[in-house]
Amino acid sequence: MRAAEIQDDLSEILVTEEQIREKLDELAARVAADYAGKDLLLVGVLKGAFVVMADFARALPMHAPIDFMAVSSYGASTKSSGVVQIRKDLDTDLHGKHVLIVEDIIDSGLTLSWLLENFESRGAESIEVLALLRKPEAAKVHIDCKYVGFDIPTEFVVGYGLDYAERYRNLRDVAVLAPHVYS
Ligand code: IMP
Ligand code: MG
């Protein structure tokens, strides 16, 4: 879906499809250099990360198995609750693995800080985070995120995997949702 096709629902396009593609190429080159010769596992956090995982994994010039975990922290609201629920666990044993968590967005950071603690207790060799988007001013906990695509303002965004009430995930760009849609 293109932004022009749902213009009335969006107040601003923040990051375009092209900008995302360029950024992911850049991050993929960095990751490949940092993990050369290592046993890298990509872990996507569903559902939001499915698009960034598909594009990032294909941009990555090295072998890396992919696993997914599904957690939910929002429901149909636009504010983080901090309550994390596992809906689908990993299939992979993390012992000895270099884990790179691939996330769509870091908002309050609550979901990731919970996940990082959870993964550490499973014996991963190392754990790093790649996030396409980050809202620095919304942080409630500090997350050491080694690979960040774009820092964005504290606004509710949709597209490129990100939803509002399960809609807009298939929008190609990242855009600010117009307030009339959720108020
Ligand atoms: P956090 O726990 O507040 O960092 O938020 C984590 C999750 O909330 C993300 O993985 C997203 O699924 C969702 N989320 C946070 N901000 C947004 C947004 O602006 N639009 C859509 N989903 C969001
Ligand atoms: Mg969501």
Side-chain angles (χ1 to χ4, degrees):
M1 193 164 67
R2 293 172 198 280
E5 287 152 1
I6 50 160
Q7 226 168 17
D8 291 350
D9 289 7
L10 310 174
S11 44
E12 189 193 345
I13 296 176
L14 277 189
V15 194
T16 66
E17 204 185 350
E18 289 75 17
Q19 290 172 316
I20 294 170
R21 188 176 321 119
E22 275 174 31
K23 184 64 77 177
L24 289 182
D25 281 345
E26 194 184 303
L27 292 177
R30 273 179 58 199
V31 168
D34 293 350
Y35 287 89
K38 288 185 179 159
D39 207 358
L40 173 64
L41 172 72
L42 302 179
V43 172
V45 185
L46 293 171
K47 300 176 190 168
F50 82 102
V51 182
V52 52
M53 177 63 97
D55 285 347
F56 173 74
R58 284 179 297 175
L60 193 64
M62 68 183 282
H63 292 293
I66 296 168
D67 203 348
F68 286 102
M69 177 140 175
V71 301
S72 66
S73 57
Y74 267 42
S77 144
T78 58
K79 290 262 149 52
S80 191
S81 65
V83 180
V84 177
Q85 218 189 338
I86 296 186
R87 300 216 161 157
K88 180 221 170 281
D89 206 350
L90 298 172
D91 300 325
T92 316
D93 179 2
L94 297 188
H95 270 101
K97 296 268 161 46
H98 292 276
V99 176
L100 180 59
I101 301 178
V102 175
E103 257 286 35
D104 49 0
I105 191 165
I106 303 177
D107 184 11
S108 68
L110 293 170
T111 309
L112 262 177
S113 80
W114 186 91
L115 263 183
L116 287 168
E117 226 171 88
N118 183 281
F119 283 10
E120 266 154 34
S121 69
R122 303 192 201 193
E125 181 76 26
S126 73
I127 310 172
E128 297 290 351
V129 178
L130 179 151
L132 179 70
L133 306 167
R134 182 172 63 181
K135 297 180 191 171
E137 281 143 39
K140 289 194 182 136
V141 285
H142 173 76
I143 298 290
D144 244 327
C145 183
K146 192 162 180 187
Y147 310 98
V148 182
F150 303 92
D151 278 324
I152 62 169
T154 310
E155 281 180 288
F156 195 77
V157 294
V158 293
Y160 204 77
L162 290 158
D163 75 305
Y164 172 66
E166 295 304 326
R167 302 179 82 175
Y168 308 101
R169 292 196 196 276
N170 58 326
L171 173 64
R172 291 170 177 262
D173 313 291
V174 173
V176 178
L177 189 62
H180 75 80
V181 177
Y182 56 85
S183 56

